[in-house]
Amino acid sequence: MFTKGNLIILSGPSGTGKGTVCKKLLINNKNVFYSISATTRLPRPGERNGREYWFLSKKDFEKMIKGNKLLEWAKVYDNYYGTPLDKVNELREQGRDVLLEIDTQGALSVMKKAADGVFIFLLPPSLRELEKRIRGRGTETQEIIRKRLDAAVGEISLGTKYHYLVVNKNVTEAVNQISAIITAEHCRTDRNLGIIDKVKNEEI
Amino acid sequence: MFTKGNLIILSGPSGTGKGTVCKKLLINNKNVFYSISATTRLPRPGERNGREYWFLSKKDFEKMIKGNKLLEWAKVYDNYYGTPLDKVNELREQGRDVLLEIDTQGALSVMKKAADGVFIFLLPPSLRELEKRIRGRGTETQEIIRKRLDAAVGEISLGTKYHYLVVNKNVTEAVNQISAIITAEHCRTDRNLGIIDKVKNEEI
């Protein structure tokens, strides 16, 4: 029986490894599609419309904001970034799961607009480990590291608003857990009421 | 971090293949333990106390009923059958998942007593297929087959009360879906609030 695809939101503080987990998840789950963001920033050399981003004019983006056609959006410096609702729905109607990898602020917006979304919060195994990962990038000053860790502590409290918590101690294990969540969510009764009617009303 | 084991209830109309699915599930999931029922019927040759059943006297069983020490129980002809709560809790406290394979009547009782249980309803792919399976046993008259199918239709409506619906079209696929549900349930936020506090309150 045909069932609509699910919207899967993967979020968590920066430094927990969302990007790495997402990439592996997409390789392992051929029915999961990555949601491509829209932006008003100019394409960089080699970037293609509809692959890295949907590149929009400022005017078009603001029209989408006014028309409530974005699942979430943010303005970073002078540019807009956001998730076009139509593109997500199109894939879901085709039975495909759509994966959204966003920061905790964006996830809060999506919670208000997509009540049937599957919200997964990716946690670092410990703050000490998170500190190591941020430090490992080698680009941050002591002050910025401290600031980002404080921000992470605040964001971790938001984890209670999500359906699932996954600890990213080991990428393979985290990906397996998220894959299991994706499979399990397809079996949830509220997403499958049609099956009961179908079997029950069969003529024999 | 230590988390308590989950109680997994697998139910569905008779003939859907609960037994076969359970056996394979236990082979694939070493952390899942089968809940052994208590009964007042006498052990048959080769049966051992604590393996096939917990064999109890009628007096002891009735004491457990009065003491509210059974997750569910039923009287079949002259004998009692039921699930001892203590044995289930003991395993769960050790971090083990406990699998209960019971009929839909028993599952309704468990729903009232174990609010944190994971309730999975196993559906036949179709009534026609269920009829074939019941007929395949070769022991039933036409009248009994009709009666059992009518009962199944009534029971299938109860599926809406469960958390998950799994269609047993293919045993391997059904077992994989239930295994995914078991993994996913361990990631549910309400079962893991301790992790958030632990990471958040870490001194660094």
Side-chain angles (χ1 to χ4, degrees):
Chain A
M1 206 186 80
F2 175 80
T3 48
K4 199 179 156 190
N6 290 334
L7 175 63
I8 302 139
I9 297 94
L10 185 68
S11 189
S14 96
T16 42
K18 291 192 290 293
T20 313
V21 166
C22 262
K23 259 181 223 135
K24 217 162 168 182
L25 195 65
L26 291 167
I27 293 170
N28 293 3
N29 295 271
K30 292 300 175 204
N31 194 45
V32 177
F33 286 71
Y34 189 79
S35 162
I36 294 155
S37 299
T39 183
T40 56
R41 84 151 165 76
L42 293 175
R44 291 178 191 144
E47 285 185 342
R48 205 190 296 162
N49 189 42
R51 193 178 63 189
E52 282 79 11
Y53 285 99
W54 299 105
F55 294 101
L56 300 181
S57 70
K58 208 171 161 185
K59 201 178 139 195
D60 283 346
F61 201 104
E62 287 173 345
K63 217 188 279 173
M64 288 179 84
I65 295 175
K66 278 186 199 131
N68 208 16
K69 291 194 183 319
L70 293 161
L71 255 178
E72 52 84 38
W73 64 273
K75 201 171 184 179
V76 183
Y77 300 107
D78 251 1
N79 286 309
Y80 288 115
Y81 293 83
T83 304
L85 191 55
D86 283 1
K87 300 286 178 190
V88 169
N89 286 342
E90 226 170 77
L91 286 164
R92 294 185 66 191
E93 290 301 334
Q94 291 164 14
R96 282 153 177 170
D97 290 333
V98 181
L99 178 64
L100 222 68
E101 179 214 329
I102 44 174
D103 63 20
T104 53
Q105 204 53 45
L108 288 179
S109 303
V110 180
M111 280 179 200
K112 288 178 200 141
K113 295 201 180 175
D116 65 348
V118 179
F119 291 86
I120 305 171
F121 194 81
L122 196 66
L123 279 162
S126 66
L127 286 182
R128 198 171 300 278
E129 183 58 33
L130 186 65
E131 187 187 6
K132 234 198 285 176
R133 290 180 194 176
I134 297 173
R135 225 180 262 289
R137 295 181 182 175
T139 53
E140 323 285 13
T141 65
Q142 188 58 33
E143 195 199 331
I144 286 180
I145 290 172
R146 187 74 242 175
K147 249 190 195 163
R148 290 194 47 194
L149 278 172
D150 286 346
V153 172
E155 287 179 89
I156 285 169
S157 304
L158 296 172
T160 55
K161 293 181 184 289
Y162 290 65
H163 300 121
Y164 298 96
L165 299 176
V166 170
V167 179
N168 189 17
K169 193 171 178 183
N170 168 293
V171 177
T172 305
E173 209 177 299
V175 168
N176 286 345
Q177 287 176 348
I178 297 170
S179 298
I181 291 168
I182 291 171
T183 300
E185 280 288 329
H186 276 285
C187 299
R188 284 197 76 83
T189 302
D190 47 7
R191 300 191 195 276
N192 289 287
L193 294 173
I195 290 182
I196 290 185
D197 287 333
K198 190 177 154 266
V199 174
K200 222 176 54 183
N201 298 323
E202 191 189 335
E203 290 291 335
I204 53 166
Chain B
M1 205 186 82
F2 175 79
T3 48
K4 200 179 155 188
N6 289 335
L7 175 63
I8 301 140
I9 297 95
L10 184 68
S11 189
S14 95
T16 43
K18 291 192 292 291
T20 312
V21 166
C22 263
K23 258 180 223 138
K24 220 165 166 181
L25 196 66
L26 291 167
I27 292 170
N28 293 1
N29 295 272
K30 292 300 174 203
N31 194 45
V32 178
F33 287 70
Y34 190 79
S35 161
I36 294 155
S37 299
T39 183
T40 55
R41 84 151 166 75
L42 292 175
R44 291 177 191 144
E47 285 186 341
R48 207 189 296 161
N49 189 41
R51 192 176 63 186
E52 282 78 12
Y53 284 99
W54 299 104
F55 294 101
L56 300 181
S57 70
K58 207 171 161 185
K59 202 178 139 193
D60 283 346
F61 201 104
E62 287 172 345
K63 217 188 279 175
M64 287 180 83
I65 296 175
K66 277 186 200 133
N68 209 16
K69 290 193 184 318
L70 293 160
L71 254 179
E72 51 85 37
W73 64 272
K75 199 170 184 178
V76 183
Y77 300 106
D78 251 1
N79 286 308
Y80 288 115
Y81 293 83
T83 304
L85 191 56
D86 283 2
K87 300 284 178 192
V88 168
N89 285 342
E90 226 170 78
L91 286 164
R92 294 184 67 191
E93 291 301 334
Q94 292 163 14
R96 285 157 175 167
D97 289 334
V98 181
L99 178 65
L100 222 68
E101 179 213 331
I102 44 174
D103 63 20
T104 53
Q105 205 53 45
L108 288 180
S109 304
V110 179
M111 280 179 201
K112 288 179 200 142
K113 296 202 178 174
D116 65 348
V118 180
F119 291 86
I120 304 171
F121 195 81
L122 196 66
L123 277 164
S126 66
L127 286 182
R128 198 173 300 278
E129 182 58 35
L130 185 65
E131 186 187 5
K132 232 199 284 179
R133 288 180 195 175
I134 296 173
R135 225 180 262 290
R137 295 181 182 175
T139 51
E140 324 286 12
T141 64
Q142 189 58 32
E143 196 198 330
I144 287 180
I145 291 170
R146 189 71 242 177
K147 249 189 196 164
R148 291 193 47 194
L149 278 173
D150 286 346
V153 172
E155 286 179 272
I156 285 168
S157 304
L158 296 172
T160 55
K161 294 181 184 289
Y162 290 66
H163 300 119
Y164 298 95
L165 299 176
V166 171
V167 178
N168 188 18
K169 193 171 177 182
N170 168 292
V171 177
T172 306
E173 209 177 299
V175 168
N176 286 345
Q177 287 178 345
I178 297 171
S179 299
I181 291 168
I182 290 171
T183 300
E185 281 288 330
H186 276 285
C187 299
R188 283 198 78 82
T189 303
D190 47 7
R191 301 190 195 276
N192 289 288
L193 294 173
I195 291 182
I196 291 186
D197 287 334
K198 189 176 155 270
V199 175
K200 221 176 53 183
N201 298 325
E202 190 188 336
E203 290 291 336
I204 53 166

